[in-house]
Amino acid sequence: MAGRRPRKREDKSGWDGHGGYMNAKKQKLNEQFESKECAIAAVKEGNASEIFSGITIYVNGYTEPSSDELRRLMQLHGGRFQYYYSVAQVTHTIASNLADSKIRQVGNKKIVRPQWILDSIEAGRLLSCTPYQLYAAPSGSQGTLGFQQMISTGGETKEKCIAEKLSRETGDDEKGSDSKPAKVQDCTEPATSNDGQVHDAVDSEESYDISPSPNSKEDDHADWGGERSSEEEPNVIAVKRRTIEVQNPDSPKKKPTAKAGDANFVSEYYTHSRLHHISTWGTEFRRYVTELRSAGRGEFRGAKKLQELKLCGRLASHDDPGKVIMHIDMDCFFVSVGLLDRPELVGQPVAVTHSKGHPAPSRCETGANPDYERKYWEQKCTGQQYGSRERAAENACTSSSVAGEQDFYSRAEIASCSYEARKLGVRNGMFMGEARRLCPNLQTIPYNFERYSMVSKSLYNIVASFTHDIEAMSCDELFVDLSKLSKDVGISPLDIAQVMRDEIAEQTGCRASAGLGPSILIARLATRLAKPNGQHWVKPDEVPAFIHGQALKDLPGVGWKLGCRLKALGAETCGELQQLSLGMLQKECGPKSGRNLYQFCRGEDSREIRTDKDRKSVSAEINYGMRFTAQEEVDKFLAELAVEVCKRLKEVQSKGKSITLKLKGRKADAPVVSAKFMGHGVCDNFAKSVTLPVATDSIDIIRKESLNLLKTMKVVPSDVRGMGIQVHRLEPSTKAACPANSILNFMKKAIASTSAQVPETSSSVSMQPTSSERNCSTTLPAYQMLSVSQVDSSVLAELPAEIREEVEKEMQQAQRRKDLQEIESSELLQKVPSAGISVHAETHAKCDQKPTTRTEVTTELPNLSQIDQSFMDALPEDLRKEVMAACTEKVVHSSAKNETSKVTRRPVQGKKSSPRKTKSGASPKKHKMQKGQLTLSAMINTIQQPAQAVKSEEKHPEASVGIPSSNNNERGRVEEKNSALLPIPSLCGATGREEVRSLIKEWTDSTAEPVNEDIEMFITYLEELVGHMNLEMADKMLKYFYRLVKVQQADAWRLALHQTVESVQQTVLARYGYRLKLDFP
DNA sequence: ATCCTCCCCTAC
DNA sequence: TAAGGTAGGGGAGGAT
Ligand SMILES: Nc1ccn([C@H]2C[C@H](O)[C@@H](COP(=O)(O)OP(=O)(O)OP(=O)(O)O)O2)c(=O)n1
Ligand SMILES: [Mg+2]
Ligand SMILES: [Mg+2]
């Protein structure tokens, strides 16, 4: 694998007539930096040793000895230094900062602290780098880029290392129940089997084991279908559980037949799912870019290179081009990467798919009825658009070749196909069966996820070395705002694109194409024209002509559905759509979509590159291989999904307030056996959600709530075809902001549950705990009343462990009793179990009652009267005292007010924006950001971007200093004073989370050392938040500030942080009697 | 109007 | 045989 030196070929398109750069670039680039300065260094100091012979480092982020110094040292001692990360050449990545280095974590390469270099030199020999490693190298694994290993607990499933997997498999945690086989009794009566399934294969679990070769680290499937050696390893994908009973974890013969519900299944599935991978990567890159920017500064080696090239005369000067957006996208990504190992296939029609070249003995599943699905799709769409064509074709193919087993119509999807294949009509996402029909000569190659992720990282790192004005779209695609870079270096955007693309090709061996234009829209469209391996710039004045002939389907957001609607309106191209009025479009497509279409078809697009978008949800779902027979299997699988979601939440340090369970159920008239092997077939979708009184990332709560939801959705186990759990309404988890026994937490929840005067309105949500029927409150001991009716799981989670256990036990019993009493309502969805939680059933849209005062509840202390006595009784002595004290105090505070038992009155405080980050630029309502009045805000206006090292030389004397002006300060004080009086704490007028965040970021980005007044202002703001009981916001902002300061050079920032934390802590202490628990020093 | 929830749609 | 995930945009329709 090593090597893979870029095969360079002459680029054909692109670079039209741009100076001799192309020809010269080869010899230039690398040497440019290396040789030159290296030579100088060498001359000066001579070669000192060969300590680092064979070592090639890549420096990532800020390091103590600077990157330049490290380069010098390496060269001095026989090592090599790479400006860009190159999978093939770099042996060690040097970094001192974890955040910065995460994305560069590639394969097994090590990430080592710079001290390793220094110490080795000092020792006069190459020391082991192990002690200097920032953290252990990741082990491949499904889906993750290996960003944050530190977060994932070691035990986490992800490893793909087969050995580990195997060993784990036997004694896996929570699923130790592998032994549960017993229940197999049901033996799926044939009846079920009727439903077609694969059953014939009764005990022969053989059915379909996937067998990825155990050792092949990669994705291996290099050969599966062919001969799956029976002994292989346990990778049967979806199984019939009958096999279960037989196998024991240790019984050799057994292939653990992972069934969709077996510990392995989820992990096994994900490691093979391309969609899971690309989706996960996309999310991680988005996050990476965000962090890149918040970390600010960087060396921008790529930009430096541009300047070098310009100085050398290889690149011509170019005037400020105005706004220029570039869209870069790798050419047939998976295929390109896959071909690195298969050069002999270059030039041929190639596809990446799980399907093997030839389908072994296709044993057609009995019971399968492809026609059903075909008809379904046919009538669902009028045809046109790929999806439907595919189905139609499939049909033709299938029926015509019923007999010929070799004509087996494979429904394995093609992730990516080469351009040669595309010429024949093959497309990404197409079934292999159809593709083979179009292109009998189609060559297939296996997936290699690890490799894709390495190339993706290189792609991002290369682009990031030029600028951080990036918006990540996916693992193979991103937008870059070249406006500033082009202007700063005085080089044409097209030249910059070419240099970047060359670098990409050089470093990864894969080609990328680029589209440039005055907007995101045009850039993206231009890329289509540029592909493959080219680039195209649509200048502003060319837009009208360019857009005119574009197919509407190519516009972002126009997929199959919208495309059909527009077609019905008589428009298929942008030019045609321009004939329609704005009103008409909005009437047909909705206000937003209508407006977008109206503008897009005219080539107008005002969107800017965005990097600051906060993630809104975290989810995990699987809609493949799901075949169950017993309810317990379904439950068990759901529990595993809960673990998965929980893990993902923790990885990004988030908690969510709302949980949605998604179910796919076989459509009533759909055949039991899907056309696609183990596919979900035609389904009905169900979803149901609960809103928790407080955000959580607890597995116990998520699992429990999910199971509760599942109970209310009656779908026959054997008809379940897909399940998923989504957590939304996220907030940062801020580890510990609230210690386990925090009174505040207690209170929030306690009141939430107690006061949950659930207005159980309508039908669907019958949850009323109060209802006599479902709860036995009358007969239970006092504290048991906490159960079902008055306590929700999140409250529980916050209880002291011992108490919690008791309570849980009681709750379970109560639940059981309740369940017994519950009558099956014929409806799919009906009630909900716990109080304080609202549930919505899709079908019943009317649920109603949204938890009344959710928000308030979480931020206020209850009155004593609101707390159930039994709850208090259950508390440990000391806590009870605290609670009482706290409540009493509060009563005093609010005594003046009429305090009803309601919780509503809380101060206005800025909180309102917190729960909902709803955007809608249409709400300029409240507080206008009054920037420009304070030092801080003044800076914002003055300094646009974090100073980029790069541009320093050329133009840009652009100041990057904070400039406090007395004048501003005065006004600032006034403003500040006002805000103190106002109910909503604000920082320079900013109150929303994002506003404040960006303000803080601008502050740290643009100022080398903070000014006291600013620090004070910030502290005041935080203290006001505390005063308003908005600890969450205060905590959040503190944490954010910490992250920004962490990457600052000046100690003054660290000091500021310390000062801020101390002040705020004092305030919190004084007010609440404890300190915030922050996860940083 | 504007918000909110519950979906569907889209994209890679 | 096959690995049909996942996050965000936004429309529909009820609540405010
Ligand atoms: N239906 C799809 C579409 C894409 N992908 C994966 C494989 C692709 O290689 C990668 C990138 O998607 P692109 O849309 O960028 O397609 P390609 O890179 O393959 O081709 P192109 O040259 O058109 O960009 O995402 C996939 O698995 N399934
Ligand atoms: Mg691509
Ligand atoms: Mg792409």
Side-chain angles (χ1 to χ4, degrees):
Chain A
M1 64 69 103
R4 189 79 282 107
R5 219 35 307 233
R7 35 218 170 79
K8 16 197 88 191
R9 284 187 186 139
E10 287 306 327
D11 299 285
K12 47 180 247 177
S13 54
W15 196 259
D16 18 60
H18 271 80
Y21 166 69
M22 277 273 284
N23 302 320
K25 76 186 188 232
K26 285 170 190 153
Q27 61 260 74
K28 282 293 157 185
L29 302 188
N30 265 342
E31 314 137 285
Q32 201 75 37
F33 292 100
E34 295 195 31
S35 53
K36 177 162 125 197
E37 290 155 55
C38 175
I40 295 174
V43 168
K44 278 188 189 160
E45 315 188 20
N47 238 20
S49 73
E50 289 297 323
I51 295 176
F52 300 115
S53 169
I55 304 289
T56 297
I57 66 166
Y58 163 80
V59 177
N60 178 26
Y62 290 106
T63 49
E64 186 25 35
S66 70
S67 167
D68 280 350
E69 176 63 6
L70 288 173
R71 174 172 41 107
R72 193 183 62 77
L73 291 174
M74 284 303 283
Q75 290 163 346
L76 209 51
H77 297 277
R80 301 220 335 127
F81 179 97
Q82 284 285 117
Y83 274 93
Y84 295 100
Y85 186 86
S86 162
V87 175
Q89 301 177 20
V90 173
T91 57
H92 297 72
T93 291
I94 306 298
S96 358
N97 181 313
L98 193 55
D100 279 347
S101 54
K102 44 189 234 179
I103 203 98
R104 320 220 176 197
Q105 179 89 17
V106 174
N108 300 317
K109 302 290 163 96
K110 297 164 175 154
I111 296 190
V112 189
R113 295 195 179 76
Q115 195 60 37
W116 170 58
I117 308 264
L118 302 181
D119 289 355
S120 289
I121 292 174
E122 173 131 7
R125 67 192 171 82
L126 186 64
L127 301 175
S128 161
C129 65
T130 309
Y132 300 89
Q133 278 184 280
L134 259 191
Y135 48 80
S139 44
S141 114
Q142 16 123 277
T144 218
L145 284 169
F147 280 4
Q148 63 260 28
Q149 350 280 128
M150 54 312 186
I151 298 175
S152 76
T153 85
E156 247 29 323
T157 68
K158 297 238 173 193
E159 276 64 64
K160 100 174 328 178
C161 166
I162 306 296
E164 283 186 62
K165 201 184 280 176
L166 281 173
S167 63
R168 198 176 294 133
E169 194 165 294
T170 42
D172 210 16
D173 43 61
E174 71 167 353
K175 111 149 325 6
S177 56
D178 268 337
S179 37
K180 72 165 181 184
K183 58 68 153 321
V184 181
Q185 81 300 16
D186 55 290
C187 71
T188 335
E189 18 57 313
T192 331
S193 66
N194 279 337
D195 24 5
Q197 289 322 11
V198 203
H199 322 351
D200 18 310
V202 188
D203 55 350
S204 79
E205 68 208 79
E206 60 59 68
S207 39
Y208 332 116
D209 46 314
I210 286 189
S211 76
S213 55
N215 324 316
S216 97
K217 44 23 157 338
E218 255 333 327
D219 188 46
D220 69 26
H221 44 328
D223 33 312
W224 40 268
E227 63 317 60
R228 13 185 114 236
S229 64
S230 56
E231 81 101 28
E232 281 311 29
E233 91 141 298
N235 295 323
V236 176
I237 244 192
V239 189
K240 291 25 279 324
R241 58 117 129 21
R242 47 172 83 295
T243 64
I244 297 183
E245 56 184 22
V246 202
Q247 51 161 271
N248 261 312
D250 18 66
S251 101
K253 54 96 107 280
K254 67 71 146 297
K255 303 61 196 339
T257 14
K259 69 194 246 271
D262 213 27
N264 272 348
F265 180 79
V266 172
S267 147
E268 189 68 26
Y269 176 73
Y270 280 138
T271 84
H272 289 88
S273 167
R274 77 187 200 280
L275 292 177
H276 162 73
H277 279 91
I278 63 180
S279 184
T280 303
W281 290 335
T283 300
E284 290 183 38
F285 278 117
R286 245 162 267 133
R287 187 171 159 226
Y288 171 61
V289 171
T290 299
E291 289 191 16
L292 254 190
R293 291 178 63 96
S294 87
R297 318 145 195 284
E299 295 188 64
F300 295 106
R301 286 177 280 246
K304 279 185 185 169
K305 175 185 283 188
L306 287 174
Q307 295 180 323
E308 283 284 336
L309 290 168
K310 189 178 171 191
L311 289 178
C312 293
R314 295 298 175 187
L315 288 180
S317 282
H318 193 278
D319 293 335
D320 178 357
K323 182 177 174 185
V324 182
I325 302 298
M326 172 173 66
H327 175 242
I328 299 192
D329 187 304
M330 301 298 290
D331 294 336
C332 48
F333 189 46
F334 285 12
V335 166
S336 296
V337 175
L339 291 183
L340 291 174
D341 282 335
R342 306 288 298 278
E344 76 277 11
L345 292 181
V346 172
Q348 294 195 52
V350 177
V352 171
T353 170
H354 279 304
S355 173
K356 313 223 0 138
H358 264 309
S362 70
R363 65 168 109 349
C364 230
E365 295 182 46
T366 50
N369 176 8
D371 274 6
Y372 176 87
E373 286 190 35
R374 172 182 50 81
K375 285 182 193 157
Y376 178 82
W377 290 109
E378 249 169 26
Q379 84 176 72
K380 192 151 185 181
C381 26
T382 6
Q384 129 238 95
Q385 201 260 341
Y386 172 64
S388 56
R389 279 191 349 243
E390 163 203 323
R391 317 291 169 187
E394 139 186 359
N395 158 48
C397 198
T398 317
S399 31
S400 69
S401 61
V402 177
E405 59 173 28
Q406 71 228 102
D407 283 352
F408 173 75
Y409 183 90
S410 169
R411 286 175 179 78
E413 282 179 39
I414 287 173
S416 180
C417 59
S418 67
Y419 280 79
E420 288 75 10
R422 292 183 200 197
K423 281 180 201 155
L424 299 176
V426 178
R427 292 290 180 274
N428 286 359
M430 184 179 274
F431 283 163
M432 266 305 288
E434 163 70 351
R436 260 198 263 274
R437 194 173 66 71
L438 295 168
C439 174
N441 186 36
L442 185 63
Q443 305 294 308
T444 66
I445 57 178
Y447 286 91
N448 189 337
F449 295 115
E450 198 171 321
R451 202 79 183 271
Y452 306 146
S453 115
M454 293 193 293
V455 172
S456 288
K457 289 175 192 173
S458 293
L459 166 69
Y460 275 83
N461 285 324
I462 289 168
V463 174
S465 75
F466 286 81
T467 174
H468 286 176
D469 296 332
I470 298 169
E471 176 164 345
M473 287 301 293
S474 75
C475 61
D476 92 320
E477 184 176 345
L478 49 90
F479 287 102
V480 185
D481 188 335
L482 290 181
S483 316
K484 194 173 197 313
L485 177 62
S486 177
K487 175 171 157 238
D488 290 350
V489 299
I491 292 174
S492 158
L494 218 40
D495 285 352
I496 295 174
Q498 185 68 52
V499 173
M500 277 192 203
R501 294 204 301 119
D502 286 342
E503 193 61 47
I504 291 165
E506 179 115 356
Q507 299 293 321
T508 70
C510 300
R511 302 303 194 15
S513 293
L516 294 83
S519 65
I520 288 178
L521 171 72
I522 302 301
R524 167 177 277 186
L525 292 174
T527 300
R528 302 186 124 266
L529 215 144
K531 276 178 176 295
N533 191 30
Q535 54 185 43
H536 184 81
W537 185 12
V538 176
K539 305 221 170 100
D541 59 306
E542 301 167 348
V543 171
F546 176 78
I547 198 73
H548 196 283
Q550 296 291 325
L552 289 176
K553 272 191 56 184
D554 291 338
L555 292 182
V558 179
W560 187 63
K561 222 62 177 171
L562 230 198
C564 284
R565 284 171 112 170
L566 296 175
K567 189 177 180 185
L569 294 179
E572 289 191 84
T573 67
C574 288
E576 287 163 3
L577 196 65
Q578 286 174 18
Q579 301 307 308
L580 301 184
S581 72
L582 174 60
M584 165 71 121
L585 280 174
Q586 292 186 306
K587 185 162 70 83
E588 292 299 320
C589 315
K592 275 276 200 106
S593 299
R595 182 178 50 74
N596 283 340
L597 282 170
Y598 186 80
Q599 298 184 332
F600 286 179
C601 74
R602 287 170 172 69
E604 299 163 9
D605 174 15
S606 54
R607 295 172 299 169
E608 296 289 328
I609 260 50
R610 296 224 160 289
T611 70
D612 53 351
K613 287 183 282 195
D614 274 0
R615 203 164 162 188
K616 290 178 178 157
S617 69
V618 172
S619 67
E621 68 186 288
I622 295 184
N623 299 304
Y624 180 83
M626 310 290 282
R627 297 294 126 110
F628 301 104
T629 53
Q631 185 60 45
E632 308 87 77
E633 297 174 322
V634 180
D635 293 350
K636 187 172 180 226
F637 185 80
L638 184 59
E640 285 179 44
L641 276 183
V643 169
E644 183 67 32
V645 178
C646 190
K647 181 179 68 186
R648 294 180 191 179
L649 271 176
K650 290 179 167 150
E651 276 171 5
V652 294
Q653 301 179 61
S654 292
K655 292 185 175 187
K657 260 190 168 153
S658 184
I659 298 174
T660 299
L661 171 64
K662 299 181 19 170
L663 271 193
K664 257 184 191 308
R666 191 190 113 243
K667 219 174 183 38
D669 58 344
V672 172
V673 178
S674 59
K676 183 188 186 108
F677 174 66
M678 284 293 128
H680 56 56
V682 178
C683 293
D684 282 322
N685 295 314
F686 304 98
K688 207 169 182 186
S689 63
V690 295
T691 295
L692 307 174
V694 81
T696 188
D697 64 352
S698 149
I699 175 58
D700 295 311
I701 294 175
I702 294 175
R703 183 199 294 121
K704 178 170 170 254
E705 295 302 340
S706 297
L707 286 169
N708 280 341
L709 288 171
L710 176 61
K711 267 187 229 156
T712 70
M713 304 167 80
K714 324 237 143 136
V715 174
V716 183
S718 63
D719 283 345
V720 171
R721 290 291 180 275
M723 306 185 79
I725 297 174
Q726 177 178 38
V727 176
H728 37 162
R729 292 182 61 187
L730 304 182
E731 8 187 285
S733 67
T734 319
K735 248 58 235 154
C738 309
N741 288 337
S742 141
I743 294 180
L744 190 61
N745 259 349
F746 246 161
M747 302 324 280
K748 294 174 184 170
K749 289 126 178 215
I751 185 124
S753 56
T754 343
S755 71
Q757 23 207 180
V758 190
E760 51 226 52
T761 41
S762 74
S763 45
S764 69
V765 186
S766 46
M767 63 187 326
Q768 64 269 260
T770 48
S771 134
S772 52
E773 98 195 89
R774 61 189 335 20
N775 93 39
C776 351
S777 54
T778 53
T779 59
L780 299 176
Y783 86 90
Q784 291 175 349
M785 295 175 78
L786 285 174
S787 71
V788 194
S789 59
Q790 290 139 313
V791 174
D792 62 58
S793 41
S794 33
V795 173
L796 212 51
E798 300 297 334
L799 287 170
E802 68 281 13
I803 294 189
R804 179 185 164 159
E805 271 179 37
E806 280 187 63
V807 175
E808 274 184 324
K809 242 173 252 162
E810 282 307 321
M811 288 179 73
Q812 278 168 13
Q813 289 183 13
Q815 177 78 40
R816 233 169 276 135
R817 266 165 273 175
K818 179 186 74 184
D819 288 343
L820 289 179
Q821 297 176 22
E822 232 162 49
I823 305 177
E824 290 294 89
S825 82
S826 51
E827 299 240 283
L828 267 172
L829 18 84
Q830 17 153 161
K831 72 235 42 284
V832 174
S834 37
I837 293 179
S838 62
V839 175
H840 297 275
E842 77 214 42
T843 20
H844 264 18
K846 4 209 78 181
C847 279
D848 79 11
Q849 91 213 355
K850 283 4 221 56
T852 74
T853 54
R854 209 182 311 126
T855 306
E856 300 82 325
V857 168
T858 62
T859 52
E860 273 204 359
L861 290 177
N863 290 322
L864 269 178
S865 62
Q866 296 173 267
I867 299 181
D868 190 303
Q869 185 54 48
S870 55
F871 179 76
M872 290 296 277
D873 289 343
L875 294 176
E877 179 68 15
D878 56 331
L879 273 174
R880 191 187 320 144
K881 278 186 185 144
E882 286 186 72
V883 170
M884 293 183 73
C887 290
T888 305
E889 178 189 349
K890 176 199 155 223
V891 169
V892 172
H893 284 26
S894 59
S895 61
K897 298 210 62 154
N898 76 354
E899 41 199 76
T900 64
S901 56
K902 286 216 64 148
V903 211
T904 46
R905 113 224 99 135
R906 66 118 174 227
V908 199
Q909 49 98 309
K911 171 119 198 142
K912 96 177 287 160
S913 62
S914 121
R916 218 134 252 83
K917 168 45 200 165
T918 331
K919 51 17 184 57
S920 165
S923 60
K925 36 160 105 205
K926 54 241 175 157
H927 65 312
K928 286 256 56 116
M929 282 270 275
Q930 331 201 12
K931 306 184 175 180
Q933 306 200 0
L934 282 237
T935 310
L936 245 182
S937 42
M939 285 189 278
I940 297 174
N941 291 333
T942 309
I943 291 92
Q944 269 318 23
Q945 281 283 0
Q948 300 189 354
V950 190
K951 56 175 177 228
S952 51
E953 3 213 340
E954 288 273 21
K955 14 205 120 198
H956 279 327
E958 179 188 56
S960 61
V961 212
I963 345 69
S965 104
S966 57
N967 181 15
N968 283 336
N969 279 335
E970 263 177 47
R971 302 185 57 180
R973 290 215 179 82
V974 174
E975 152 82 358
E976 190 173 335
K977 220 175 274 175
N978 286 339
S979 63
L981 297 177
L982 291 173
I984 304 178
S986 79
L987 182 62
C988 290
T991 57
R993 197 214 299 188
E994 289 316 309
E995 287 175 337
V996 176
R997 275 178 156 229
S998 64
L999 199 53
I1000 298 174
K1001 178 168 161 24
E1002 291 292 345
W1003 179 32
T1004 57
D1005 275 353
S1006 58
T1007 315
E1009 296 197 353
V1011 178
N1012 274 339
E1013 283 148 322
D1014 287 338
I1015 300 173
E1016 281 169 24
M1017 181 165 46
F1018 184 48
I1019 291 175
T1020 300
Y1021 165 67
L1022 293 175
E1023 290 178 336
E1024 282 172 1
L1025 285 176
V1026 173
H1028 283 293
M1029 301 187 67
N1030 195 342
L1031 292 185
E1032 184 196 0
M1033 181 76 162
D1035 188 75
K1036 214 178 294 175
M1037 293 305 125
L1038 256 185
K1039 190 181 173 191
Y1040 183 62
F1041 185 46
Y1042 163 70
R1043 274 195 283 136
L1044 293 172
V1045 166
K1046 201 169 51 174
V1047 299
Q1048 287 292 332
Q1049 299 289 294
D1051 278 330
W1053 279 108
R1054 267 166 268 294
L1055 212 56
L1057 172 67
H1058 177 74
Q1059 197 180 330
T1060 306
V1061 171
E1062 279 316 298
S1063 301
V1064 175
Q1065 288 287 28
Q1066 281 305 316
T1067 307
V1068 174
L1069 185 62
R1071 175 136 187 151
Y1072 302 105
Y1074 63 87
R1075 297 165 64 92
L1076 287 175
K1077 204 158 149 206
L1078 303 167
D1079 53 351
F1080 55 84

